[in-house]
Amino acid sequence: MNIALFTDSYLPTKSGIVTVVVQLRKALEDLGHHVVIVTVNTKEEEKALADREKDENVLRIRSVRGEFFGVPDQYIGFPHEKKILSFLQKHNVQIIHSHTEFFVAHAAKLSGKKLHIPVIATTHTLWEDFYKYYLFAGKLIPVKIIRKVVKRLYKKFYALINVSQKAKDYFKMPFMLPNTPSAIIPNALDSDSFLQCTISEEEIQKVRTQWGIKKDDIVFLFLGRVVEEKRVEELLDICMRVIKKNDKIKILFVGAGLAVQRLERKSRAVSDRIIFTGYVPWTEVHSYYQLGDVFITASLSEMHSMTILEALLSGLPIVARRDTSFSDTIFEGKNGYMADSDEEMDQYFLDLAADAKKRAAFGECSKKIAKGFSLEVFGKRTVAFYQKVLDTYPEKITDEDLRQAVDAVSAEFGL
């Protein structure tokens, strides 16, 4: 099968969507399929990196940084239609899979129409929650407008892949696209690559010493972008209440973001207990999971969190706010807790801090849950989805057709 992935988030930039696209490409190629990427061209030094790779299966299009559009650290692509068509024809592409909604996605839909091939998309972002933090004047834009825009952006895709029940439920709402066929395929993690990055106990101790973490400290870890839509300020408030009740708890915020400086100022009086690492290179991220005792998040804007999958694979208990995006990764009282309010999270923090046996048991359960999100399962589910689309296109396909195709793979793995 010859497959084109369209995305405006790709290497050498880093994000959850980049991770998904990179891992999907690997999974598909491991299964013997030919995959090409149509993506943005980043700043000059990153372009040089891309040129050194000499990847003939990646087409980079003209783009600009996203600040003007209110999306910092991302790029907005401006596709050249003829160039893309030529690239797709050269690789005899049979199906296009978009991982974006914007200009690159528009190019995907136009290309599919010209080549008479199906174009599908994965719904990665819940813009209704996300837009207020990043779109220009977002807080002044009514949610009805956002819904109309998102509906318009997605309505011409032949079918949708939803990364969670939350995503599926949203796009089945009457005001969205209830008649667009879809199926759920959760994100996955390249466990082999992730686990190869583990470090020794001696190296873990060096990292702990670097940040002033004592041997008997209990580390509650947040890892990700430190930005408003992750509700990091609310999470900090929880942490500041909790550390007053248990002097062994230390909080580690790992990652960069626009909210870091504000949170550092707010917690200056307890800077020895609440630590902000700032930017951490991708190659070092794994070590922070290893020194954590509990993974924490108060985010309500996730679709299917990659950091939660990494925490599972790292054997960490998880405490989060209740959200359907976590329904297949956090199981109450087995590998973590989901709180109905920020205040309720306090007690879950304290319970886990006080019970090392429970932390260990929850961690082992997290590792077992992680097995359901392997790259092989992810790749085979996606291929089954593609094949059903190709077998049916251009006739109308149904949710049940797609669900049965994906579920057959799940059954094969006993999931």
Side-chain angles (χ1 to χ4, degrees):
M1 196 181 298
N2 297 325
I3 304 148
L5 307 180
F6 279 57
T7 178
D8 47 27
S9 298
Y10 197 61
L11 298 173
T13 58
K14 300 294 183 185
S15 72
I17 295 176
V18 173
T19 302
V20 170
V21 174
V22 169
Q23 293 186 158
L24 177 57
R25 181 185 182 182
K26 181 179 186 300
L28 294 172
E29 290 177 340
D30 286 348
L31 292 170
H33 301 283
H34 178 57
V35 182
V36 298
I37 308 287
V38 177
T39 190
V40 294
N41 201 356
T42 56
K43 58 188 179 182
E44 286 305 310
E45 62 266 33
E46 294 173 337
K47 179 179 182 297
L49 171 61
D51 287 344
R52 285 200 299 274
E53 291 171 354
K54 295 181 180 178
D55 191 338
E56 294 182 355
N57 293 329
V58 177
L59 174 66
R60 293 187 180 267
I61 59 176
R62 185 168 60 91
S63 62
V64 297
R65 273 192 172 273
E67 282 90 346
F68 178 78
F69 298 89
V71 189
D73 302 322
Q74 294 296 316
Y75 290 81
I76 306 297
F78 296 95
H80 188 286
E81 185 181 333
K82 289 184 179 179
K83 188 176 181 181
I84 292 174
L85 281 172
S86 176
F87 178 73
L88 298 179
Q89 288 170 325
K90 175 184 175 183
H91 290 274
N92 193 27
V93 167
Q94 299 164 277
I95 186 169
I96 295 173
H97 184 176
S98 179
H99 292 267
T100 178
E101 309 91 336
F102 301 114
F103 298 117
V104 174
H106 182 64
K109 287 178 277 190
L110 285 178
S111 299
K113 187 175 181 179
K114 291 260 178 107
L115 298 174
H116 307 290
I117 60 175
V119 183
I120 67 166
T122 292
T123 57
H124 287 290
T125 304
L126 187 58
W127 283 102
E128 187 169 319
D129 288 344
F130 193 78
Y131 83 99
K132 62 177 71 74
Y133 299 108
Y134 286 97
L135 293 182
F136 177 71
K139 294 181 181 179
L140 302 178
I141 302 174
V143 69
K144 288 183 179 180
I145 300 297
I146 296 300
R147 289 174 177 175
K148 286 181 180 179
V149 171
V150 172
K151 181 176 181 178
R152 184 181 182 87
L153 291 172
Y154 277 102
K155 72 178 182 179
K156 290 189 177 180
F157 288 113
Y158 180 70
L160 301 176
I161 291 177
N162 302 128
V163 295
S164 64
Q165 187 65 49
K166 177 180 179 178
K168 186 176 179 68
D169 290 346
Y170 180 75
F171 280 89
K172 287 298 180 185
M173 290 285 193
F175 56 79
M176 288 305 296
L177 297 163
N179 297 321
T180 299
S182 63
I184 299 171
I185 301 179
N187 290 328
L189 197 62
D190 185 351
S191 56
D192 291 340
S193 296
F194 189 89
L195 294 174
Q196 282 174 5
C197 297
T198 55
I199 60 176
S200 67
E201 283 298 324
E202 183 180 353
E203 290 171 312
I204 291 172
Q205 191 55 49
K206 284 182 181 179
V207 179
R208 292 175 72 95
T209 301
Q210 175 187 349
W211 296 109
I213 299 170
K214 299 175 184 176
K215 187 175 182 179
D216 59 346
D217 283 339
I218 304 161
V219 179
F220 284 69
L221 171 73
F222 170 86
L223 192 150
R225 292 181 300 117
V226 186
V227 290
E228 281 187 78
E229 93 267 7
K230 301 292 185 181
R231 300 186 74 247
V232 288
E233 190 152 1
E234 291 83 353
L235 182 59
L236 177 65
D237 290 340
I238 296 163
C239 295
M240 291 183 72
R241 293 195 298 267
V242 166
I243 62 171
K244 293 177 183 178
K245 298 178 180 179
N246 186 324
D247 59 10
K248 294 298 183 184
I249 293 177
K250 283 202 173 174
I251 313 292
L252 201 57
F253 282 81
V254 179
L258 296 175
V260 169
Q261 290 185 345
R262 184 170 71 254
L263 299 192
E264 284 181 322
R265 288 194 298 269
K266 189 172 181 178
S267 60
R268 188 170 294 157
V270 287
S271 59
D272 61 325
R273 305 281 304 283
I274 299 179
I275 302 161
F276 296 86
T277 68
Y279 171 76
V280 171
W282 186 251
T283 53
E284 298 176 20
V285 163
H286 307 80
S287 63
Y288 286 88
Y289 283 107
Q290 287 181 255
L291 63 85
D293 294 294
V294 181
F295 189 86
I296 55 175
T297 177
S299 177
L300 295 171
S301 63
E302 307 297 333
M303 279 295 210
H304 197 256
S305 170
M306 293 301 296
T307 56
I308 292 289
L309 295 183
E310 291 170 346
L312 291 177
L313 194 58
S314 302
L316 295 181
I318 302 167
V319 180
R321 277 294 305 273
R322 188 175 308 282
D323 190 81
T324 50
S325 68
F326 304 134
S327 62
D328 59 352
T329 51
I330 304 174
F331 295 87
E332 293 279 354
K334 295 183 178 180
N335 75 315
Y337 298 110
M338 286 194 281
D340 293 314
S341 67
D342 292 347
E343 291 71 23
E344 189 180 352
M345 290 183 74
D346 294 20
Q347 191 56 49
Y348 292 142
F349 278 41
L350 294 169
D351 284 350
L352 285 170
D355 194 335
K357 288 184 178 179
K358 182 179 285 188
R359 292 198 304 273
F362 279 21
E364 286 303 312
C365 186
S366 284
K367 289 179 183 178
K368 291 177 182 176
I369 294 166
K371 293 178 181 178
F373 301 97
S374 73
L375 217 53
E376 183 182 9
V377 172
F378 178 53
K380 288 190 173 182
R381 281 171 169 161
T382 307
V383 168
F385 188 102
Y386 291 164
Q387 192 60 60
K388 180 57 68 174
V389 165
L390 288 171
D391 289 345
T392 309
Y393 184 82
E395 302 300 322
K396 185 174 175 59
I397 200 168
T398 68
D399 283 16
E400 187 62 18
D401 293 334
L402 295 169
R403 186 190 65 77
Q404 287 183 2
V406 172
D407 284 356
V409 174
S410 301
E412 176 188 340
F413 286 87
L415 301 173

